[in-house]
Each structure stands twice: as structure tokens, then as C-alpha cells.
Amino acid sequence: MSTDAIAEEQWTISNLYARLDDLREQAKRRLSESLLGPSGGTHQARSERDSTAAMYAQQIRQWEAAEHGLCFGRLDYLNGEHLHIGRIGIFDEENDFEPLLVDWRAPAARLFYLATAASPERVRRRRHIRTRLRKVISVDDEVLDLREAQPQQASSEGLVSEAALMSALNEGRTGRMRDIVETIQAEQDAIIRSDMGGVLVVQGGPGTGKTAVALHRAAYLLYTFREALTRQGVLILGPNETFLRYISQVLPGLGETSVLLSTLGDLFPSVTARRGEPAEVAALKGSLEMARVLRDALAERQRVPETEIHILLSDTHAGFGYERHMITVDPAVIERARDRARRSDQPHNLARPVFVQTVVDALARQVADELGDDPYKDDPLGENDAPGVGLLDEADVAVIRRELMEDSEVDRALDEWWPLLTSEQLLTWLYETTDNELLRRAPGGGWTLADVPLLDEAAELLGESDADAAARKERLRRQRIAYAEGVLDIASGSVSTDIEVDEEAEFLTAGDVLTAAQLAERHIDDEVLTAAQRAAADRRWTFGHVIVDEAQELSPMAWRLLMRRAPNRSMTIVGDVAQTGDLAGASSWGDVLSPYVGDRWRLAELTVNYRTPAEIMAFAAEEALAHIDPSLKPPRSVRETGVQPTVHKGVSDWRKYVNDEDGKVGVILPVSAQTDAFDLDERVSCLTVREAKGLEFDSVVVVDPGRIVAESPRGYNDLYVALTRATQRLTLVYPEI
């Protein structure tokens, strides 16, 4: 490409960055003004101020995230007009908001991904602009007008922007996933821009870009349905923490910072589930049978004593002349109260007041009867409205009732018959008392991934008590303080870099006036938090859209949890049933979804493998996929490297083969051989198949494939995953026999 073209685009890029800097500084000044403004006023005024501050903070984050690769493309039309395409939209406010840069998600930008020489759609030329920092380093043109195009410019694989795509695929990996906004292909674009409503299943083999499509779909939906999804939030569920770290930079780079990234182990507030457990135990916990087991366990905690219970009242009730009074409780009273509470159709904790009131009313009448004539003596359960005539009137009985409610011995008995429970207490009690050896576990061992759906199921059965609400309020308070710290950091960063050192010492920033805790108290309303931040602290939060990656690994109980988070059934489910590793995982999307949506879901398939070279894919198909299901076909690879996988047998030390590899190296080990935590930022990462799901490396060394198959509940599925993580080279190492 000529230097003139590079110089032309450099002028445009420089102007765009100058405009971006202006917008960012304006937002920082307005954020500081909002934070330092009067703290009083009406609730509406405070709410508007808080919303304004949150808006500016969000804008700043978006603009800072788009700094790298701000503009990456240009469309030249047959009529002479052109559009520059980038990660965000920038407009000229002084010229009727003329677009200076079109957001890649806007309808006007879609031809950048769809136009071809066969169907140019008014596009004469598509230009790819590569930048490093703020400097243009290369410009590549695709001429789509057949009158100008050269034969060699036609794509050999029917790919859009093949040169840019191949360049991206052959670049070395960094340990973090990059966005594909510059090289989205037509089949990917159709999925990304698919309607938000309903359940969309994206099925694709290894390397087809499922994760990238899911992330770009999240960014597209947030752009298109900004108001609704900003209010309700978007959840992206990944298989593990490593995967979330791996993808963490993609959405911020696309201008989106309000999505909740989570693993299943983090979806129950106050619990972080990391402990491992045997596959057969996880499979049992993941089965739908556990919903019945939990219901039965809770029913057992709603106890009716088999014989009369004697309670020695612990308090003195001088007004009625008794002290340390003994009362006898008939089991029929407890049974009647239990049945009445159950008929209330309230969750266990919310039904407890019904139970307590019924029991205490009966005991109050009993005490009144023992102290004198009971106005309810012909109506022991209080089923009639009009009391009889007796020595004690209704006011006297009310006093007795109140004193019984305050009695510690009565309270202890009520807790025995109908305890106020947390999810953790119910599940711990179940595990400690069950006859099932697989479910029994040592106390204090920590929660596992398979426990989280059970905790959530238990929470549905229990309902939220006042204590739960107080705990959630405290979590939100901590979230507000964390948010405020971030806002103060942004506001403090708004001091001009042109100020001299001595002058800067005199310059007052928001951080000099307010602490994070003070700011959190001033901005007490939930509006100051993003939907994602509020959702993370609230188990009952329902999202506007839910995206699930590696969805084939979820158990039936995990799906119950997710469906509660998405009652509108607006979901994108991404996975590959040929890569299912968990015993409780999916073998059919229909089996997974039919209990919730019947056949009202749509399937989109990705068929092109962008990651794995053809040589490696053919090897993986023969060595693993054929064992899973001979009828399955691997996705078609878009490139060949000329490098065949290498196999070494009788090896005593696999480490010597790692040193021969270039770039980022993933060493995939059997579970029994992996002992140390790994770091994606290191050149070499040693990890298990489960930890490698969704990741990619320049080179992969698979250690002891036979042992990987033998140790896994779905052996060849896991081997298939291991063999398809490499973008360049694959090595298999077998130990000495």
C-alpha cells in the first residue's frame, strides 16, 4: 500500500483521537462538578445527580477502553462517499452531528462485514487500517467493484477480508483473547445481529469462534437495546475463572463495561465455590432428583413432636401472678400450625410467621385457661372470631401472647419445630444427615461448583428473610464504596497534565474533598451502581439477556438456576455437545431446553474453523472425534500450515519438548499430574483439560493422552478438547511404558 494512503488515514486517525481526548476531558470535568456539587435537595434531584455522575463515569470508561484500535476500517461507496468504521461512534457536534466514526454495530457499518465481490452492495472498496497506539502502520484494500478488482484478490475460501483475517490468525497469542471486530465473517455477523428475543443456540466445533461471537453479540445487543439492557443487565456465564480472565479485555475494548462476567460458582452471593469433587458426586448433585431431595429435606425440618412437650417459661410475668410457669404443648397444636403455614403457599422462611402466630395463639389461650376462665376455651385453635366470656379479656390474652413471643424457651422450641434457615444451613444439614454416601461430605470443606445450583434451589424453597435482606443491603453498600473509589480515581485523573508541579499541589480534586465511603453515602441510591454490580449482590436479579459459554457442561440443576435468572427466556447458548466433559453435561440441546421452552428455540451453526490448522484438525478427528461419534464431521479449517502434529513415545520428561516450542505454549496434563496453579501471563501454562476449555495457544503439548482419556468420565470428549487448542503446532508426549 502506498505511503499516500497511510498518510491520508493517519490524518483521519489523528483527528479522531483529538476528538476522543476532548470528549473524555469534558466528561471528567462534568463528573467532578457533579461529585462536588450540593449534596442536599429532593430525592428526585439526588437521583438525577447520581444518574448523571454514573453516566459520565460510564462514558469515560467506554472512551478509555476504545483507545486501542479506535478506527480499523473504511467503506468507499460507488457514489464517492465513504465511512470510517471503529469501536465506538464519534460525531461532529458542530456540524449537525455528522458521523466522524461509525460504531461497528450500527446498521451503516454492516456492509463492512457482508459486502463481497459477488455482492458488493454499492461498496467499491473496503479498507483495513491497522494501528499501533495512535500510529497507522498499514493499510490494506479490498476492491469489490469487479471492474477494478484483480483476480488474485478473490477469496479462496469465500471469506470476507481474507488477508486481514489470515494476518490476525497467524499472529502470536498473548494469553488474553482479542476481539474480532475487524474480521467478523458473514456467518458470524448473522448470529451476532440475530434478534434478542427467545433462545438462540450457537453450535460449533473447536475454533469456530463461538466465544468471540457470543461476546460481540453481547456488545451488539447492548448497543441496539441500550435502555432496556442497561437497566436489566447482561450476564455472561463462563466455565471457570481462567476463562473469564482470558476474555476480560474483549468487551471493554468494544466499549462495553457493564456486563456481569461470572462463573457458576459465583452466582450465589456470599459464596465462592472452588472446591473440586469426584465426577460421580457432581453428576448426582446436578441431577433433577436433587430438587425433590431438597424439598424432602426441608419438610423434615418442619417438625411435629411425637409426644407432648413441656416448656418451662423462662421469664417472670408478674401481671398475672405466675413465675417459671410450666406449659404442656400438644403435638396436635404443632401439626395444625405446620399445616396452616404450608397452606399459605409461602416459602419456608416467609411462612414461619404464620406458624409462630398459630402456635403462640394456642399457647396464650392455654396459659389464660390455666390462670382463669379462657374466653377461647370452647375454641382452642381460635377458629371462631367471637370469644366466649371469661375472667381474662382479649387485652389480657394479647399481653400473654406478647410475653410468650419474648420468652427465650418458647423461642427455642419454635426454632426446633420451624427453624429460620439459610440455604447454607439446609444444604449442610442435608449432607451431614443423608444416608447417601456420595452426598455425605466432611464439614468445613468449602462449597463446590455443583453445590451452587442446590444453594439457589434451597433459597427458592426458603424465601428471603429479614436477615437475608440485611446481608444483601450490606453487600450493596460494599459495592457502592468500591464503585465510589473508581469514580474518585476517574475524577482525580481529570487534573490537566499541563499544570506545573507547584500548581498541581494547590489544585483541589474530588479525592481531596471526599472519601469513597462518604461518596457512597451521598450517592446512596442503587442508581449509582450499574445493573451488573447490583445483580452480583442480588440472587433474585433477573437479566435482560443471558449468554452461556461452554453451555454443554451445565447440569440440569444448573439450568434451573439460569432459567430463574432469565424469566423472559432471552438467551444465547454457546457450545459443542461433542466437547461435553461432565457426566451431568448435555448430549442434546433439545433435552436441555425442552423442559423450559419446548421446541421454541432456534439453532445457528458455525461451520468454519478459524483457530485450528487443517493438519491438526484432521488428526483430532481421527484420534478423538471418531471415537465420540463416527457420524460427526469436524469444522472446516480455513488454513494449512504445512506442519503435521508430532508424536513422541517412551518419554521420561515431557519438559524438553516444551522448550522447542515458540510463542505461548499450553501444556495439557492429566488431572492427577497437575499440582500447581498456572498463570496465563507466563509463556508456558500447565493446565488440565477443564482449565483449557475455551482457551487457545500458539503451541500445545498434550502429555499422556491415554491417561487423560482414562481419567475423564467422557474420555475422548476431553481428548478432543485438548487436541484442538493450538493455532500453529501440536505435540503429543506418551510416557515410558
Side-chain angles (χ1 to χ4, degrees):
M1 180 55 59
S2 69
T3 55
D4 290 342
I6 292 178
E8 176 189 8
E9 297 302 344
Q10 183 63 63
W11 182 86
T12 299
I13 296 296
S14 297
N15 287 336
L16 287 173
Y17 274 113
R19 178 61 180 150
L20 182 68
D21 291 340
D22 289 343
L23 292 171
R24 191 160 45 197
E25 289 306 312
Q26 290 175 21
K28 286 182 177 179
R29 286 195 297 271
R30 291 168 180 167
L31 176 60
S32 292
E33 291 169 1
S34 176
L35 294 176
L36 298 173
S39 60
T42 65
H43 173 81
Q44 179 178 352
R46 293 195 303 272
S47 178
E48 290 176 353
R49 182 193 61 229
D50 296 346
S51 297
T52 300
M55 178 190 69
Y56 287 131
Q58 177 74 0
Q59 285 181 348
I60 293 167
R61 288 192 182 94
Q62 289 177 335
W63 289 331
E64 288 180 343
E67 170 76 24
H68 174 68
L70 175 64
C71 174
F72 56 79
R74 168 174 156 171
L75 286 176
D76 291 349
Y77 294 98
L78 293 173
N79 64 4
E81 296 179 354
H82 69 267
L83 286 177
H84 278 88
I85 315 296
R87 280 172 165 72
I88 60 173
I90 297 179
F91 301 90
D92 185 352
E93 296 179 2
E94 298 178 356
N95 192 15
D96 296 328
F97 287 90
E98 177 184 350
L100 302 175
L101 185 66
V102 176
D103 193 296
W104 68 273
R105 297 164 287 190
R110 192 172 190 189
L111 287 179
F112 188 79
Y113 305 108
L114 298 184
T116 64
S119 180
E121 299 288 346
R122 301 177 290 108
V123 177
R124 181 179 67 84
R125 179 177 63 185
R126 172 172 42 226
R127 171 170 287 179
H128 294 268
I129 305 168
R130 297 190 65 196
T131 58
R132 182 176 295 119
L133 298 178
R134 297 188 172 194
K135 182 179 180 181
V136 177
I137 59 175
S138 70
V139 174
D140 296 313
D141 285 346
E142 290 179 277
V143 178
L144 304 182
D145 186 348
L146 295 178
R147 294 170 297 182
E148 300 182 32
Q150 300 298 319
Q152 61 268 27
Q153 289 180 306
S155 170
S156 61
E157 293 288 344
L159 302 171
V160 176
S161 317
E162 183 174 11
L165 174 63
M166 293 304 171
S167 175
L169 294 179
N170 287 315
E171 285 185 355
R173 270 41 192 173
T174 65
R176 292 293 185 272
M177 186 179 184
R178 292 179 292 225
D179 64 62
I180 60 168
V181 68
E182 302 174 36
T183 57
I184 293 172
Q185 299 300 298
E187 71 168 4
Q188 297 172 326
D189 184 81
I191 295 171
I192 290 169
R193 298 175 192 263
S194 180
D195 292 340
M196 183 174 75
V199 177
L200 172 65
V201 176
V202 182
Q203 163 72 37
T208 53
K210 298 185 298 297
T211 298
V213 166
L215 294 173
H216 288 69
R217 176 161 169 74
Y220 169 77
L221 293 178
L222 281 162
Y223 174 85
T224 307
F225 305 98
R226 176 71 63 189
E227 182 177 353
L229 292 184
T230 298
R231 183 175 63 253
Q232 296 178 270
V234 173
L235 168 66
I236 295 181
L237 189 73
N240 51 57
E241 286 185 296
T242 303
F243 177 84
L244 295 186
R245 289 196 300 272
Y246 178 65
I247 68 172
S248 62
Q249 297 174 1
V250 175
L251 282 169
L254 297 174
E256 299 299 342
T257 59
S258 59
V259 174
L260 177 61
L261 299 177
S262 180
T263 68
L264 183 65
D266 297 311
L267 275 187
F268 193 85
S270 78
V271 166
T272 301
R274 295 291 182 267
R275 187 170 70 89
E277 63 186 341
E280 61 272 18
V281 178
L284 174 59
K285 291 180 178 181
S287 68
L288 290 178
E289 174 67 12
M290 289 302 298
R292 182 195 62 77
V293 171
L294 281 169
R295 288 195 300 270
D296 292 347
L298 182 58
E300 287 187 43
R301 299 306 305 271
Q302 299 166 355
R303 295 167 175 162
V304 174
E306 296 181 358
T307 60
E308 291 183 342
I309 299 296
H310 303 285
I311 300 177
L312 181 63
L313 300 179
S314 60
D315 299 323
T316 299
H317 303 276
F320 296 100
Y322 69 89
E323 185 173 335
R324 303 294 290 171
H325 188 81
M326 179 74 75
I327 58 175
T328 301
V329 184
D330 190 329
V333 172
I334 310 304
E335 184 176 14
R336 192 66 175 267
R338 182 197 65 182
D339 294 345
R340 182 174 290 180
R342 286 178 175 177
R343 288 198 303 271
S344 72
D345 289 331
Q346 293 270 36
H348 173 87
N349 286 340
L350 302 185
R352 188 176 189 270
V354 177
F355 175 84
V356 169
Q357 181 180 353
T358 304
V359 173
V360 170
D361 284 350
L363 296 182
R365 290 191 292 273
Q366 181 176 325
V367 171
D369 186 40
E370 294 170 359
L371 293 176
D373 288 338
D374 180 9
Y376 293 94
K377 63 183 177 181
D378 296 324
D379 182 23
L381 292 176
E383 295 178 331
N384 298 320
D385 293 334
V389 178
L391 179 64
L392 303 181
D393 60 19
E394 176 60 29
D396 296 329
V397 177
V399 172
I400 295 174
R401 185 185 299 112
R402 184 177 65 250
E403 291 177 340
L404 289 174
M405 290 284 288
E406 296 172 354
D407 191 281
S408 60
E409 293 301 317
V410 173
D411 187 60
R412 186 177 295 112
L414 291 170
D415 281 342
E416 175 67 22
W417 300 326
W418 193 290
L420 194 65
L421 295 170
T422 66
S423 297
E424 293 93 327
Q425 289 170 337
L426 178 60
L427 202 56
T428 298
W429 179 83
L430 169 63
Y431 289 161
E432 290 175 349
T433 60
T434 182
D435 293 330
N436 191 310
E437 290 294 334
L438 288 177
L439 289 180
R440 189 175 295 122
R441 69 182 176 96
W447 299 107
T448 71
L449 203 65
D451 288 329
V452 170
L454 301 184
L455 290 168
D456 197 74
E457 188 79 18
E460 287 292 303
L461 296 172
L462 294 172
E464 186 178 80
S465 67
D466 292 341
D468 295 330
R472 183 164 63 88
K473 185 175 181 180
E474 174 59 21
R475 287 194 296 271
L476 285 172
R477 188 188 72 83
R478 291 196 297 267
Q479 287 265 20
R480 280 192 289 268
I481 292 176
Y483 178 88
E485 288 173 346
V487 170
L488 286 177
D489 287 343
I490 292 173
S492 299
S494 63
V495 179
S496 172
T497 55
D498 295 332
I499 298 176
E500 298 293 335
V501 173
D502 292 339
E503 294 177 326
E504 189 171 347
E506 301 296 326
F507 195 91
L508 198 62
T509 70
D512 298 320
V513 179
L514 295 171
T515 67
Q518 290 170 333
L519 180 60
E521 291 302 318
R522 289 183 61 178
H523 297 260
I524 198 69
D525 296 320
D526 283 350
E527 286 85 348
V528 77
L529 297 176
T530 67
Q533 290 168 317
R534 283 178 281 143
D538 187 355
R539 187 199 68 83
R540 300 176 301 171
W541 189 274
T542 58
F543 293 88
H545 194 78
V546 172
I547 294 175
V548 188
D549 206 343
E550 300 292 343
Q552 74 277 357
E553 303 299 343
L554 295 183
S555 70
M557 287 301 295
W559 283 110
R560 283 173 66 89
L561 178 155
L562 276 181
M563 291 300 174
R564 285 193 281 270
R565 302 298 193 273
N568 63 353
R569 301 297 187 260
S570 178
M571 306 178 77
T572 302
I573 295 169
V574 179
D576 179 15
V577 291
Q579 297 185 66
T580 302
D582 285 359
L583 281 176
S587 57
S588 160
W589 296 121
D591 291 345
V592 166
L593 297 173
S594 60
Y596 306 102
V597 296
D599 59 357
R600 299 183 306 278
W601 56 278
R602 58 194 194 275
L603 176 68
E605 294 191 71
L606 292 169
T607 60
V608 179
N609 187 331
Y610 302 99
R611 174 207 302 144
T612 317
E615 296 86 351
I616 296 177
M617 203 64 231
F619 182 86
E622 180 179 352
E623 297 295 322
L625 191 60
H627 292 274
I628 300 170
D629 184 346
S631 67
L632 294 176
K633 301 296 182 185
R636 176 175 56 86
S637 297
V638 301
R639 64 196 173 104
E640 297 178 356
T641 60
V643 179
Q644 294 291 335
T646 58
V647 177
H648 303 278
K649 297 184 177 181
V651 176
S652 59
D653 186 2
W654 51 264
R655 291 171 180 81
K656 63 181 179 180
Y657 295 100
V658 174
N659 297 330
D660 295 336
E661 303 293 350
D662 297 324
K664 296 286 292 186
V665 182
V667 180
I668 302 181
L669 299 157
V671 173
S672 58
Q674 170 70 345
T675 57
D676 299 326
F678 66 94
D679 187 348
L680 282 176
D681 294 326
E682 297 292 331
R683 189 184 77 85
V684 178
S685 298
C686 297
L687 62 170
T688 65
V689 173
R690 176 179 288 275
E691 293 165 336
K693 280 185 178 289
L695 308 184
E696 62 183 21
F697 304 90
D698 296 303
S699 301
V700 167
V701 177
V702 180
V703 177
D704 203 347
R707 195 163 151 202
I708 289 176
V709 172
E711 290 183 353
S712 169
R714 298 183 187 240
Y716 283 101
N717 296 62
D718 275 1
L719 182 60
Y720 187 51
V721 173
L723 298 180
T724 54
R725 300 302 97 196
T727 66
Q728 302 294 336
R729 294 166 298 280
L730 172 66
T731 301
L732 286 81
V733 178
Y734 290 84
E736 292 178 321
I737 300 176

